[in-house]
Amino acid sequence: ITRQVERATAYAEKKGWIVESNNIYRDDGIPGAEFVKRPGLNKLMANKDNFDVVIMSEISRLGRDLQRTAYYVVELVEHSKRVFYYLSDEEEKANDATTKMMLYLKTFASEIEREKIKERVSDALYRKAGKGYVTGKPVLGYDHKKINAISANGDLTFSHSEHEINYEEALIVKNIFTMYGDGIGLKKIAKVLNGDTDSNHTDLLTKYFNGIVPKKGKANKNAWSHVQVR
C-alpha cells in the first residue's frame, strides 16, 4: 500500500496535479472480492466532489469482481472523474460502448486471476496439510513449532511450522471430552471452565480439574463459551 501511494503520488506530480493528503484512500489487507467492508473505497465514493482524478496502479486495485468493479469505474466517470492507471499511463474512459466493453474485459481478467489465486492457495494448503504442516492459526492443545531449512544459497531460513503438543492444554482438551462423554452439557462445561462458583460447578471442577480453573484458550482470552467448547 505504501509503495502504491508513493507511485500514484509521483504520477500525479508528473502530470502537474495536486495530491491532498485527505484524498488518499486505502484499504489495506482486504480481499479484492470485498466491496461492502471497504472503508477506503466507501469514503472515496462519498467524497466524489472533493477530487477530479482517481489514480491507481491498475484496475484490480479497485476490485476483482467483474460487475461491481466496472460499476464503480462507470460511476466515477459519469460524475466527470478521470481514472488513470500509473503502471500503463492509461486513462479509463468508459464513456461509450467500446470503452465500456474494454473495461469489462479488464475486470473479467482480474476476476479470473482472483479465482486462480484462490485455487493456488488452496492447493498449497492441501499440500502443506498432507505433510503435517501448519496451515492456520494456533488451536487449543497445540503450539506452532517453526522449522528452518537451508535455502538454495546456503542460508538458514524459515521453511514451515509444525504442530507441537502443548501438554498443559492437551489435558484440558481431554478433560472436556471426558466431561462431554459423561453426559455434561456444553454450557455447564463452559461454566466449569470459567470457574463458576455454583456448588454444582465447583464439584465438577474438583472432579475433572482437581479444583483448579484451567487457563483460557488461545482464542478466548476473556472467558469460555459453549460455542468454543462445542
Side-chain angles (χ1 to χ4, degrees):
I1 294 295
T2 301
R3 176 182 55 79
Q4 292 180 53
V5 170
E6 291 174 351
R7 292 286 304 276
T9 302
Y11 181 83
E13 293 173 349
K14 182 180 178 181
K15 294 284 189 179
W17 301 330
I18 298 171
V19 178
E20 297 177 341
S21 59
N22 62 324
N23 274 329
I24 296 176
Y25 305 92
R26 64 181 76 202
D27 284 317
D28 200 359
I30 300 176
E34 175 61 55
F35 279 83
V36 178
K37 299 177 182 178
R38 288 278 299 277
L41 176 60
N42 293 335
K43 186 178 178 182
L44 178 138
M45 299 305 294
N47 292 351
K48 288 194 293 291
D49 294 336
N50 297 341
F51 56 82
D52 302 302
V53 178
V54 176
I55 303 172
M56 65 191 91
S57 63
E58 54 171 321
I59 188 66
S60 66
R61 298 307 87 197
L62 188 66
R64 289 181 181 267
D65 179 273
L66 171 62
Q67 292 180 314
R68 287 179 289 187
T69 303
Y71 166 80
Y72 279 106
V73 172
V74 172
E75 179 80 2
L76 288 167
V77 172
E78 288 182 346
H79 281 79
S80 301
K81 310 304 169 185
R82 301 177 71 185
V83 178
F84 283 83
Y85 309 127
Y86 66 73
L87 287 178
S88 59
D89 190 20
E90 172 192 5
E91 181 176 3
E92 189 68 76
K93 299 290 186 179
N95 55 3
D96 57 35
T98 301
T99 54
K100 286 180 180 178
M101 176 57 70
M102 295 302 297
L103 170 62
Y104 272 98
L105 289 174
K106 283 184 282 190
T107 54
F108 172 74
S110 293
E111 185 163 352
I112 289 293
E113 178 60 20
R114 173 172 63 88
E115 293 177 355
K116 288 182 178 178
I117 290 172
K118 184 178 179 181
E119 290 172 358
R120 288 194 292 266
V121 170
S122 296
D123 182 61
L125 291 176
Y126 272 114
R127 289 201 308 271
K128 289 180 69 177
K131 295 179 181 179
Y133 298 167
V134 170
T135 58
K137 296 180 179 180
V139 294
L140 189 68
Y142 294 93
D143 294 326
H144 288 180
K145 180 180 179 182
K146 293 184 177 180
I147 305 298
N148 295 322
I150 303 297
S151 65
N153 58 9
D155 296 331
L156 186 65
T157 184
F158 171 75
S159 170
H160 62 276
S161 293
E162 296 180 357
H163 290 103
E164 186 174 63
I165 296 175
N166 181 315
Y167 288 96
E168 182 180 1
E169 293 181 354
L171 183 59
I172 298 172
V173 175
K174 290 180 179 180
N175 288 339
I176 289 173
F177 270 92
T178 301
M179 293 175 72
Y180 187 74
D182 289 345
I184 301 172
L186 300 176
K187 290 184 178 180
K188 180 170 285 190
I189 293 175
K191 289 183 177 181
V192 172
L193 294 170
N194 287 323
D196 189 271
T197 56
D198 182 276
S199 59
N200 291 329
H201 300 147
T202 55
D203 289 344
L204 291 174
L205 185 67
T206 300
K207 178 179 179 180
Y208 292 99
F209 294 96
N210 295 322
I212 301 173
V213 177
K215 72 175 185 178
K216 302 295 186 294
K218 293 182 174 70
N220 53 329
K221 303 298 182 182
N222 297 317
W224 292 84
S225 72
H226 70 280
V227 174
Q228 289 161 334
V229 172
R230 183 182 69 232

